[in-house]
Amino acid sequence: MHAGVEPCEATGAIMTPIYQTSTYVQDGVGNHKGYEYSRTLNPTRHALEKALAELEGAKYGLAFASGLAAMDNLIKILKPGDEVISTDDLYGGSYRLFTTVFANYGIKFHFVDLTDSDAFISVLNENTKLVWIETPTNPMMKITDIKAVSESVSGNDVLVCVDNTFATPMLQQPLNEGADVVMHSATKYLGGHSDIVMGCLMLNNDALDEKLRTLQNSCGAIVGPMDSFLVLRGIKTLHLRMIRHSENGKAVVDYLSSHPKVEKVYWPGLESHPGHEIAKNQMTGFGGMISFIIKGNNIENAYKFVESLEIFTLAESLGGVESLVGHPATMTHASIPKEVREKVGVTDGLIRLSLGVEDVEDLIEDLSSALEKV
Ligand code: P1T
C-alpha cells in the first residue's frame, strides 16, 4: 500500500499530485530540480516507477505506454543474430511482436515448452541472449519453474525476463527466484480497474537500467501523469484485490470441475494441474484467471456460453475488478496461426475467465445459467 509513495514535499498532499506538465523551468542553463522534459521524466511517473520497483523488490522500475511497449523496449537491447527462447504458450500480442516485428530485424525466436528442460536445452546456444517466461501462461495457465530456468543459464550472458502479469507481485516475485527482469501489462491487475493501458519493467542491474532508460527516452513510449496517478491508486488495493480474485478463483474452479458439462479446467491451484507443485513453491496464491472447455470442445457451445453470460462481460483484457469472459482463439490469441495455437491447447472450444471481485455466488449463478443453455 505504501510502496514508493511519499507525501508531497511542497504541499503535504498525501496523494501524489498529477504533474500535468511537459516541461520545467531552468533558473540558468542546466540548473533545474531534476526534471527537464516529461519524456525523460515526470514527477508523477517518477513516483509510479519507484512504487513499481518496490512492489517487485527491485532497484529500478520503468513505466511504458503499454505492456507491449515495455516488451518492445526490452527486446531493443538485442542485436541482429541474437536469439530468444520463449514459452510456447503466451499472449497473442507478444507472439505477434516477436514474430512479425522483431523477427524482421534479424532476431531469432524459438518457442518451446519451458516445462520441458530437454526441449529448452536443445535450442539453447551461444547466440541465446534472452529467455522469455510467461508464468502462469495466457491462456493455458502453464507453470514454468523460474528458479530452474534461471539456474540453467546462470553464468552465461543470458537474461531471464518473466511476464508476471497474471500472478502480480502479490502472488509471485520472479527476481527472488533468480530472474533478471520482470515485465507487467499494468493494464491488468496493477491498474486493476480497466481504465488505463500501461506496461512496466522492473530489475536490479545498474548497467541494464541505464540501457533501458536510454531506450525509453530515445524511443518515447512513455506514460502520462494521469495514467501514472491511476496506477498508483490501483496499486494501493492490489493486495486486497488479489486475495479476493484468488478466493473467487478457487470457488469457481470447484464449481466448474464438478459440473457434468465441463470437460477440463485449467488453473494452477488444482492438484491435478501438472505445474501445481512448482506453483505452490513459487507462488503464494493461484489468482483469478481460469481457462476451461465445455464437453465437445466446439466453437458453437463456446460462443453460446460466452454470449449467454450476464454478469461476466464479453471483452478482451483481464485483471479488473469486474469479471470478464473471453474466447482466446478468436479474440486475444487470434494473431497466432491456428495450427500453432492448437498445438498448445488454444482450441476453438477454449473459454477464458478473468474473475473479478464480485460476490462469488452471483458469479456461479451466472455461469450456471449460461451452462444450462449449451
Ligand atoms: O495490452 P498490453 O498492456 O500491451 O499488454 C500486453 C500483454 C502482455 N502480457 C500478457 C500476459 C498479457 O496478457 C497482455 C495483454 N493481454 C490481453 C489484452 C488479454 O486479454 O489477454
Side-chain angles (χ1 to χ4, degrees):
M1 236 192 91
H2 296 283
V5 175
E6 304 285 344
C8 170
E9 275 182 25
T11 64
I14 292 200
M15 292 303 139
T16 308
I18 301 164
Y19 288 92
Q20 197 72 50
T21 184
S22 59
T23 193
Y24 307 82
V25 64
Q26 303 198 4
D27 295 335
V29 177
N31 187 7
H32 53 76
K33 296 183 166 64
Y35 301 97
E36 293 165 85
Y37 185 59
S38 283
R39 174 167 24 77
T40 316
L41 199 54
N42 167 287
T44 317
R45 189 180 105 217
H46 196 185
L48 172 69
E49 291 187 335
K50 285 195 273 186
L52 291 169
E54 206 166 305
L55 279 181
E56 285 287 3
K59 202 163 161 189
Y60 303 109
L62 297 95
F64 298 91
S66 68
L68 291 181
M71 294 174 69
D72 173 82
N73 203 84
L74 179 68
I75 307 290
K76 279 179 182 152
I77 65 170
L78 303 181
K79 293 190 291 301
D82 288 348
E83 298 190 12
V84 178
I85 303 177
S86 165
T87 176
D88 58 355
D89 176 40
L90 73 168
Y91 170 56
S94 307
Y95 180 87
R96 183 179 53 205
L97 178 67
F98 293 164
T99 57
T100 70
V101 180
F102 284 106
N104 290 336
Y105 290 89
I107 296 165
K108 188 167 176 186
F109 293 86
H110 301 273
F111 296 93
V112 298
D113 180 355
L114 290 182
T115 64
D116 176 351
S117 57
D118 290 342
F120 175 64
I121 297 298
S122 74
V123 290
L124 185 66
N125 65 66
E126 72 271 15
N127 294 324
T128 309
K129 290 289 177 267
L130 175 70
V131 182
W132 186 263
I133 302 176
E134 218 183 84
T135 183
T137 60
N138 178 1
M140 298 310 297
M141 309 301 297
K142 272 161 73 172
I143 300 293
T144 295
D145 188 332
I146 301 167
K147 194 178 263 171
V149 172
S150 303
E151 279 171 2
S152 69
V153 295
S154 85
N156 298 310
D157 185 21
V158 180
L159 289 176
V160 174
C161 180
V162 176
D163 182 335
N164 204 24
T165 301
F166 270 33
T168 81
M170 282 305 300
L171 305 184
Q172 178 170 276
Q173 296 198 306
L175 298 180
N176 291 340
E177 304 288 326
D180 301 290
V181 185
V182 175
M183 174 263 160
H184 283 268
S185 167
T187 314
K188 314 298 185 308
Y189 290 103
L190 298 184
H193 297 77
S194 307
D195 51 10
I196 50 96
V197 174
M198 191 188 289
C200 54
L201 299 173
M202 292 84 138
L203 64 150
N204 285 319
N205 184 287
D206 300 349
L208 182 58
D209 175 67
E210 185 68 37
K211 265 193 204 171
L212 293 171
R213 232 164 261 283
T214 301
L215 278 167
Q216 183 191 41
N217 188 39
S218 305
C219 300
I222 48 101
V223 303
M226 182 67 198
D227 285 1
S228 299
F229 173 84
L230 287 170
V231 174
L232 278 167
R233 185 166 69 166
I235 286 170
K236 290 180 198 301
T237 55
L238 178 67
H239 60 306
L240 297 174
R241 288 184 283 108
M242 290 317 293
I243 292 168
R244 180 65 167 239
H245 288 302
S246 295
E247 284 169 1
N248 284 359
K250 170 146 187 22
V252 167
V253 163
D254 286 347
Y255 169 76
L256 290 176
S257 304
S258 59
H259 196 287
K261 286 188 181 168
V262 172
E263 185 171 308
K264 180 118 181 94
V265 180
Y266 301 91
W267 189 64
L270 277 169
E271 274 177 34
S272 58
H273 187 291
H276 180 63
E277 286 307 314
I278 298 166
K280 266 197 335 198
N281 277 334
Q282 70 187 18
M283 300 175 78
T284 56
F286 306 110
M289 291 304 298
I290 298 170
S291 291
F292 75 102
I293 292 167
I294 296 169
K295 275 189 183 144
N297 192 5
N298 61 61
I299 200 160
E300 293 76 20
N301 274 343
Y303 274 12
K304 211 183 286 174
F305 175 81
V306 299
E307 288 168 7
S308 301
L309 288 164
E310 288 183 0
I311 294 177
F312 285 82
T313 304
L314 177 60
E316 308 240 357
S317 205
L318 60 109
V321 288
E322 67 295 312
S323 292
L324 301 182
V325 61
H327 182 251
T330 53
M331 295 169 72
T332 49
H333 293 69
S335 55
I336 304 179
K338 188 174 165 71
E339 63 284 2
V340 176
R341 65 171 165 78
E342 287 196 335
K343 229 161 71 187
V344 296
V346 186
T347 56
D348 288 348
L350 190 79
I351 294 160
R352 192 188 74 180
L353 301 177
S354 167
L355 299 175
V357 300
E358 299 94 334
D359 187 315
V360 77
E361 293 305 321
D362 291 339
L363 297 180
I364 289 174
E365 207 177 292
D366 197 23
L367 295 169
S368 165
S369 43
L371 279 167
E372 267 170 35
K373 301 201 174 99
V374 301

